[in-house]
Amino acid sequence: SIYPYIREGRRILGRPAYGQEQFFMREQDIRKDIPGWRDFRRSAIGITHYAIDMHGCRYRNWEPSRSSSSAPVSEESIRPIFIPLESLIPQRIDNLLIGSKGIAVTHIVGASTRIHVGEWASGAAAGATAAWILQQGDPSLTPQEVISRGMLPRLQQHLVSQGITLQW
């Protein structure tokens, strides 16, 4: 674009499963060519795959701005993005799940998860997870406790039974 514009809203800081202060997916979690990725297959509630789609602004003469906000990366350099349950659980708020563009990711990871497939994956998982938690009949059960109580495999079975893809 010639003019900067807001392409996204806010993203949450997720609630980590084990001991960290905050959780969000980082660039090295999705890039094949950067070491230090974390494997989220065990806590996946959805999957997506897309290039890092970031564009800087252009000047009126359509010359690139050379802005650091332009960092496109092709799909071949991105591994399948397993969306972990932790990325849907906001800090300090119980019984709320976030989906779509608001999940706990960095700006760069958001450039890969903001497309429809990623939004649908996290949104469908948030809704199906909320319904599943209610079906458990325990009014004190929160999304965070699904992880801490070791209930994630049962939740994942439910998600798959609802047609949500967790792996390719």
Side-chain angles (χ1 to χ4, degrees):
S1 71
I2 292 178
Y3 300 102
Y5 62 98
I6 304 303
R7 190 173 188 158
E8 60 185 66
R10 295 279 203 187
R11 291 182 300 276
I12 64 165
L13 286 175
R15 192 179 306 184
Y18 308 105
Q20 305 136 325
E21 190 171 307
Q22 59 188 10
F23 177 87
F24 52 89
M25 293 180 68
R26 310 168 306 200
E27 183 176 9
Q28 56 266 45
D29 294 327
I30 67 170
R31 297 268 304 260
K32 293 177 182 176
D33 57 341
I34 297 179
W37 75 289
R38 298 171 291 176
D39 186 353
F40 293 121
R41 284 179 276 203
R42 291 183 60 201
S43 62
I45 47 76
I47 189 170
T48 189
H49 187 253
Y50 196 69
I52 295 176
D53 184 24
M54 293 181 73
H55 312 281
C57 292
R58 294 186 174 271
Y59 296 112
R60 288 189 185 272
N61 62 3
W62 289 97
E63 290 295 318
S65 67
R66 307 283 187 249
S67 166
S68 62
S69 66
S70 182
V73 175
S74 71
E75 222 172 304
E76 294 80 32
S77 297
I78 305 298
R79 54 176 52 95
I81 302 169
F82 294 94
I83 303 169
L85 181 56
E86 298 97 304
S87 68
L88 276 61
I89 305 172
Q91 293 184 0
R92 299 185 310 267
I93 302 173
D94 292 332
N95 293 321
L96 178 67
L97 291 168
I98 303 295
S100 192
K101 291 180 177 82
I103 64 174
V105 297
T106 63
H107 181 67
I108 290 174
V109 176
S112 292
T113 58
R114 68 173 173 75
I115 57 130
H116 291 320
V117 175
E119 291 178 328
W120 295 337
S122 62
T129 298
W132 182 83
I133 288 172
L134 289 173
Q135 291 170 352
Q136 302 313 298
D138 179 353
S140 68
L141 182 61
T142 65
Q144 180 66 24
E145 289 173 337
V146 170
I147 299 168
S148 64
R149 291 186 192 179
M151 301 172 79
L152 199 47
R154 288 178 37 214
L155 170 61
Q156 289 169 323
Q157 287 175 341
H158 172 73
L159 296 175
V160 170
S161 77
Q162 298 300 302
I164 295 174
T165 303
L166 301 183
Q167 61 185 342
W168 288 318

